[in-house]
Amino acid sequence: MVFFCFLMLGGVLLTLQTTVFHLLPEWAGKPDPLFILVIFVAARMDLFRGAGLVLLYGLGMDIFAGIYLGFYPIVYLLLFFSLKGISRHLVIYESVQQIPVVAISYLLASSAIYCSSALLVPDCYIDWSWRNMLVQMIMLAMLSTPFFLIFDFFLFLSTRQWIKPSFLHSGNGNRFKRREF
Amino acid sequence: MRKKDRRLQQFKSYLILGLLLPLGFILILSTVGSKEFNAPRKFVFEMIATAQYGVSKVTGYCRSLWDGYVVLWNVRDENKKLRDELLKYKALSNEYREAAVTNVRLNKLLKLSESLPSPTLTAQIVGRDPSLWFRTVVINRGTSSGVEKGMPVVTDAGVTGQVMNTSPHYSKILLTNDPNSAIDVLVQKSRVQGIIKGAGREGYRMHYVLKNSEVHKGDQIVTSGLGGVFPKGLQVGTVTKTVKDRRGMFQKVFVEPSVDFFKLEYLVIILKKDSLAE
């Protein structure tokens, strides 16, 4: 149930970011909520379900972004396993850490896609713009907390188990305790 | 006993993970760098593109609603009666204006279709590339309408792109400002040849133009017809800057596209049967 709910949610986000979000003014960049969902899945879901979802998100993104296939599933999976690996030392559930994690992950994922495109297609001239990259990172950082709340709500709808947002926590107990679905 | 069961369960999980993950990786790695959609990808493309089509219809309706009514909410306080009348006439005039603009646009497309050698097909853009680096769009015409991979795509302003992938009802177009796009072109006045490549936000760059070639700011660039994809003489852009470095044989030529890629709504596909694009 959770798997299919989040698969559908990924499809809806991909549809929105290829249609509605393009109506936004140019200074707003290209919001990428699917990327926030990848981070959310890495933070909240178990290894099997999470890896499966992230793989399918990558395959979906692959169809609509660029013309060469295979970049996005690999980058998303690598990001997923890296986040799973370091999640023992991070509290991604808390908004204070969500923001830098999303921004830095986006920078790393974009660099990986840029480098792999440049290596695989040497004739292809891709313009790396720090300004655009910063706009994207700031935009994603700003959107990460509200989107995490929305995704938590979806998780609640599909599992009926509510994770309190970080600002509602009392601050006691083990902050590093893993809460996976 | 329970401990043994748990260990067996754990062993099973690791076994499944150990088998599924390498298998998944092998499947993905085998597709890295390819451009062809396989059956599952075509299926997903068809599904999402249908959703994109629906959403673009809804957003189009909402935009017209926004333009027609919501913007006028600010004048509500002035005079209710006048506002109602104003609203009515504004909406009517907006409708007429939109109809007139659509008429002009479609007329241009019709004239373009008549001037092109092969049969053509008009398509609407339903989705755009979600990435930062690439420039592709999804249109609402596919193989069922006769669209095939490699067919050239134009607008009344000039060359716009090329069909890259198709499904029964939708196609993916590689725009000419994408870094992967390359077209054989020539300078209209001096007949100097070169290759136009997409440079994202910078527009185009014309490559392989010798330093002693006559290329100046303001020169018009058109398709050369070589390569067999685009018909000869289609508008591509205007030279904005030329740079001659000390080193190397070639000069750098920057070109502003004749097409405004941010305002694209409708495209014309030239239905060439013998497209050479690969």
Side-chain angles (χ1 to χ4, degrees):
Chain A
M1 181 65 180
V2 180
F3 187 88
F4 286 107
C5 273
F6 274 81
L7 191 61
M8 292 300 286
L9 183 63
V12 170
L13 289 179
L14 185 59
T15 307
L16 288 178
Q17 71 191 64
T18 52
T19 51
V20 181
F21 292 170
H22 276 279
L23 302 174
L24 293 172
E26 210 185 329
W27 56 261
K30 288 183 173 179
D32 192 351
L34 190 68
F35 187 80
I36 302 176
L37 185 59
V38 170
I39 308 285
F40 178 86
V41 166
R44 294 277 197 270
M45 300 227 176
D46 62 43
L47 196 65
F48 284 107
R49 261 190 286 206
L53 275 172
V54 165
L55 176 68
L56 291 172
Y57 294 157
L59 288 170
M61 189 73 175
D62 224 18
I63 293 169
F64 291 92
I67 56 166
Y68 289 98
L69 303 170
F71 293 149
Y72 281 92
I74 291 176
V75 169
Y76 279 7
L77 274 177
L78 286 176
L79 185 69
F80 173 80
F81 288 119
S82 310
L83 284 173
K84 274 278 168 212
I86 59 166
S87 62
R88 286 170 196 279
H89 310 289
L90 287 172
V91 197
I92 310 175
Y93 317 104
E94 293 191 12
S95 52
V96 183
Q97 292 205 7
Q98 279 161 17
I99 294 168
V101 164
V102 168
I104 292 167
S105 301
Y106 187 77
L107 178 67
L108 291 176
S110 299
S111 312
I113 288 165
Y114 177 86
C115 292
S116 46
S117 302
L119 285 171
L120 201 78
V121 197
D123 270 357
C124 167
Y125 169 79
I126 304 176
D127 55 335
W128 175 276
S129 159
W130 275 110
R131 188 193 152 274
N132 292 342
M133 189 50 64
L134 278 173
V135 168
Q136 283 293 109
M137 283 167 69
I138 292 166
M139 179 63 71
L140 278 181
M142 281 163 59
L143 291 175
S144 60
T145 306
F147 269 99
F148 259 69
L149 287 174
I150 294 167
F151 298 151
D152 269 333
F153 179 67
F154 263 88
L155 198 60
F156 165 70
L157 287 181
S158 51
T159 60
R160 297 279 157 191
Q161 288 180 53
W162 182 249
I163 295 177
K164 274 186 191 172
S166 58
F167 51 81
L168 298 178
H169 284 184
S170 58
N172 297 325
N174 185 2
R175 292 158 73 233
F176 291 90
K177 193 181 172 192
R178 298 171 77 84
R179 282 165 288 172
E180 286 179 343
F181 292 90
Chain B
M1 193 66 182
R2 195 178 287 172
K3 197 176 174 186
K4 202 178 170 186
D5 277 354
R6 203 184 303 155
R7 286 184 70 183
L8 194 71
Q9 192 69 31
Q10 213 171 14
F11 177 72
K12 272 185 190 170
S13 302
Y14 282 123
L15 192 72
I16 293 168
L17 187 71
L19 284 172
L20 282 181
L21 277 182
L23 197 72
F25 262 113
I26 290 165
L27 277 172
I28 301 161
L29 285 173
S30 65
T31 63
V32 172
S34 75
K35 296 180 193 170
E36 295 291 340
F37 282 180
N38 51 20
R41 278 198 166 99
K42 273 191 182 174
F43 175 72
V44 176
F45 181 61
E46 188 76 9
M47 294 272 286
I48 302 274
T50 307
Q52 285 178 327
Y53 180 68
V55 172
S56 65
K57 281 271 173 205
V58 172
T59 50
Y61 175 74
C62 292
R63 272 170 78 186
S64 66
L65 206 70
W66 176 266
D67 291 342
Y69 294 99
V70 183
V71 170
L72 297 173
W73 283 359
N74 292 336
V75 295
R76 184 183 287 171
D77 299 334
E78 286 179 23
N79 189 305
K80 197 176 181 308
K81 195 180 165 188
L82 275 175
R83 198 192 63 110
D84 284 347
E85 254 180 55
L86 190 70
L87 252 179
K88 201 172 90 184
Y89 289 117
K90 276 266 181 186
L92 212 66
S93 119
N94 203 33
E95 247 174 58
Y96 289 145
R97 206 179 306 131
E98 187 59 33
V101 170
T102 308
N103 191 21
V104 169
R105 197 173 53 214
L106 293 176
N107 250 328
K108 276 183 186 172
L109 286 178
L110 188 68
K111 274 182 195 163
L112 174 75
S113 301
E114 283 166 358
S115 69
L116 290 168
S118 309
T120 57
L121 185 72
T122 308
Q124 191 189 353
I125 292 175
V126 295
R128 287 171 187 269
D129 201 307
S131 70
L132 263 188
W133 319 111
F134 307 108
R135 307 281 187 272
T136 59
V137 291
V138 177
I139 56 165
N140 63 345
R141 301 281 191 174
T143 46
S144 61
S145 307
V147 180
E148 286 174 19
K149 188 186 172 188
M151 285 178 170
V153 179
V154 296
T155 62
D156 57 303
V159 171
T160 310
Q162 207 176 332
V163 179
M164 281 313 295
N165 298 101
T166 53
S167 72
H169 301 102
Y170 301 94
S171 302
K172 189 168 159 184
I173 309 295
L174 175 73
L175 296 178
T176 40
N177 65 342
D178 184 281
N180 294 298
S181 167
I183 311 170
D184 210 297
V185 293
L186 47 87
V187 180
Q188 203 167 36
K189 202 164 82 181
S190 59
R191 315 309 283 175
V192 172
Q193 254 182 282
I195 304 280
I196 279 276
K197 286 189 177 181
R201 284 166 189 271
E202 287 178 25
Y204 302 140
R205 277 200 195 167
M206 191 168 165
H207 294 255
Y208 312 116
V209 179
L210 289 169
K211 273 184 185 170
N212 56 1
S213 300
E214 287 287 310
V215 183
H216 304 289
K217 188 181 171 185
D219 281 352
Q220 295 295 313
I221 307 292
V222 293
T223 51
S224 69
L226 294 173
V229 179
F230 292 95
K232 194 177 179 180
L234 287 175
Q235 185 75 22
V236 176
T238 312
V239 176
T240 52
K241 195 169 74 172
T242 57
V243 179
K244 290 177 185 174
D245 286 335
R246 271 184 166 185
R247 289 180 182 177
M249 296 163 66
F250 305 112
Q251 54 180 305
K252 287 179 187 166
V253 181
F254 297 85
V255 178
E256 189 190 358
S258 57
V259 176
D260 186 347
F261 290 99
F262 290 102
K263 289 181 182 167
L264 285 178
E265 278 183 71
Y266 291 92
L267 302 173
V268 174
I269 306 152
I270 303 173
L271 301 171
K272 284 175 74 174
K273 285 284 173 199
D274 55 344
S275 181
L276 297 173
E278 262 310 313

